[in-house]
């Protein structure tokens, strides 16, 4: 029986809807996600405001839904909405009080800071969350995954601060944890698994300005093994940046066009991509110049 018009769906229905929405998020299909996410959030707001509801279960779903809202908002440049979403995640985590939700909300808080290039707050948020969950890491695989994911956040923040020692140290810890967890891990949409740690290694080298390391690390990423179009596109984008830094613009163009084929809605608004496309657009010597010019046109860079 369907709920009456305006009546929230049941938590069981919403749990299924959230799982489907999370697949759209991993596939970087943000237009489709935008068509289903507002209703999910509206229903969850109604349920979490109902004192008779299973509040903990509803708040956990709210955190997952707000994560998708945060990612979508940041990628589209609506950072104010990103902040609203992550603040609601933090409320959900505080209301439930479980270490895994606290870690997930903190991981997303780091994501907001990184999108706004606020590197010290991003690093501090990751380190603070690691301190909070450390006593709970022992036997819970979900907490172990969040421990590893937070170390990856810290690695990225330190790499953008040009602190190679700290960046590589956090990367090493994430690798260690990933080795003992499932190869297809995706706790709280973090895609924390062995392949994603290698993607982060490519990104860390890129941010540290080490172009040769970008390419050598990229060659060891088993990219087909990760079930996320968003992560695959991110890998090809970082690889494109590495080739561009190495002045291998044909290879950069190939990698960038591949990223765009996989997840255009993830790729085209990214400042890094837009900067590379501007440079390649003006090269005039590429074997795929026409395709780069077409991409520049779609991205309104012509």
């Amino acid at each position: 029986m369907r709920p009456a018009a305006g009546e929230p769906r049941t938590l069981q229905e919403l749990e299924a809807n959230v799982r489907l929405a999370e697949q759209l998020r991993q596939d970087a299909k943000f237009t489709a996600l935008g068509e289903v996410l507002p209703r999910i959030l509206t229903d969850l707001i109604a349920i979490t405001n109902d004192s008779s509801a299973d509040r903990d279960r509803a708040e956990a779903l709210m955190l997952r839904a707000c994560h998708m809202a945060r990612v979508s908002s940041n990628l589209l440049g609506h950072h104010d909405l990103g902040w609203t979403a992550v603040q609601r995640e933090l409320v959900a985590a505080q209301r439930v009080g479980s270490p895994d939700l606290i870690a997930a909300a903190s991981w997303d808080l780091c994501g907001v800071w990184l999108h706004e290039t606020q590197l010290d707050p991003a690093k501090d948020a990751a380190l603070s969350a690691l301190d909070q969950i450390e006593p709970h890491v022992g036997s819970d695989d979900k907490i172990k995954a969040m421990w590893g994911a937070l170390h990856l956040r810290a690695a990225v923040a330190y790499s953008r601060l040009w602190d190679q020692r700290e960046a590589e140290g956090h990367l090493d810890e994430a690798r260690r944890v990933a080795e003992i967890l499932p190869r297809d891990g995706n706790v709280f949409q973090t895609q924390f698994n062995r392949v994603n740690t290698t993607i982060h290694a490519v990104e860390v080298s890129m941010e540290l300005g080490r172009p040769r390391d970008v390419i050598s690390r990229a060659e060891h990423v088993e990219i087909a093994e990760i079930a996320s179009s968003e992560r695959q596109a991110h890998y090809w984008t970082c690889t494109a940046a590495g080739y561009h830094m190495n002045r291998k613009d044909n290879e950069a163009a190939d990698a960038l066009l591949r990223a765009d084929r996989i997840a255009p809605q993830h790729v085209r608004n990214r400042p890094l991509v837009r900067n590379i496309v501007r440079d390649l657009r003006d090269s005039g010597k590429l074997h795929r110049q026409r395709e780069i010019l077409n991409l520049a046109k779609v991205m309104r860079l012509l």
Side-chain angles (χ1 to χ4, degrees):
M1 183 176 176
R2 301 291 300 167
E7 183 180 333
R9 287 164 287 186
T10 66
L11 281 176
Q12 185 174 356
E13 289 175 307
L14 283 168
E15 199 147 8
N17 292 146
V18 167
R19 284 197 300 271
L20 290 171
E22 287 173 336
Q23 189 57 58
L24 293 174
R25 176 256 187 273
Q26 289 296 332
D27 291 340
K29 295 179 179 177
F30 294 109
T31 299
L33 179 60
E35 292 172 358
V36 299
L37 189 54
R39 171 79 192 279
I40 291 172
L41 289 166
T42 299
D43 286 354
L44 285 171
I45 289 169
I47 292 172
T48 54
N49 287 337
D50 181 356
S51 60
S52 66
D54 183 346
R55 295 281 290 275
D56 283 3
R57 186 178 173 192
E59 290 291 355
L61 286 175
M62 177 67 83
L63 183 145
R64 290 163 61 186
C66 284
H67 162 70
M68 292 183 278
R70 196 283 296 172
V71 170
S72 303
S73 299
N74 279 151
L75 285 174
L76 294 172
H78 301 302
H79 299 305
D80 55 336
L81 297 179
W83 273 112
T84 299
V86 83
Q87 286 166 358
R88 186 60 183 85
E89 286 184 65
L90 291 165
V91 168
Q94 289 165 1
R95 286 179 176 175
V96 178
S98 63
D100 58 337
L101 292 189
I102 291 168
S106 300
W107 177 81
D108 228 18
L109 176 62
C110 295
V112 173
W113 285 125
L114 288 171
H115 266 283
E116 296 201 353
T117 65
Q118 297 295 315
L119 303 180
D120 282 318
K123 175 253 299 178
D124 292 343
L127 297 181
S128 175
L130 287 167
D131 285 343
Q132 280 186 278
I133 69 169
E134 186 172 13
H136 308 281
V137 173
S139 59
D140 189 315
D141 280 359
K142 189 178 287 188
I143 299 293
K144 287 178 185 175
M146 292 312 304
W147 173 265
L150 283 161
H151 275 288
L152 290 180
R153 288 290 203 219
V156 171
Y158 274 113
S159 69
R160 293 183 186 179
L161 289 164
W162 288 59
D163 189 331
Q164 183 178 1
R165 184 182 67 82
E166 287 288 350
E168 294 291 347
H170 286 284
L171 196 56
D172 284 343
E173 175 62 10
R175 286 195 194 100
R176 183 192 67 78
V177 176
E179 286 298 319
I180 60 175
L181 293 175
R183 291 186 68 88
D184 60 350
N186 188 24
V187 172
F188 286 113
Q189 295 288 287
T190 60
Q191 280 290 336
F192 183 75
N193 51 54
R194 276 167 274 186
V195 177
N196 202 14
T197 61
T198 61
I199 294 171
H200 276 76
V202 175
E203 181 177 5
V204 163
S205 291
M206 180 194 74
E207 296 290 0
L208 287 168
R210 302 176 68 85
R212 292 183 182 178
D213 290 345
V214 175
I215 302 308
S216 63
R217 282 179 160 178
E219 291 172 350
H220 293 94
V221 176
E222 297 172 317
I223 192 60
E225 291 192 11
I226 194 163
S228 168
S229 297
E230 181 268 329
R231 286 283 86 196
Q232 290 184 9
H234 184 71
Y235 161 78
W236 286 110
T237 298
C238 292
T239 302
Y243 280 126
H244 188 47
M245 293 160 70
N246 278 288
R247 299 183 181 179
K248 295 182 177 182
D249 284 349
N250 279 316
E251 291 86 347
D254 288 342
L256 203 57
L257 291 167
R258 188 160 184 172
D260 187 66
R261 284 197 304 274
I262 293 169
Q265 292 187 348
H266 170 73
V267 168
R268 293 179 181 178
N269 283 326
R270 296 189 61 189
L272 172 64
V273 174
R274 296 176 73 81
N275 289 336
I276 296 173
V277 170
R278 285 190 187 97
D279 289 345
L280 296 177
R281 172 197 67 189
D282 299 330
S283 168
K285 300 176 183 178
L286 301 176
H287 63 250
R288 303 183 72 177
Q289 190 72 40
R290 181 177 296 179
E291 290 170 86
I292 289 295
L293 290 174
N294 287 338
L295 180 58
K297 184 176 180 180
V298 170
M299 294 171 68
R300 299 184 179 180
L301 296 175
L302 284 181

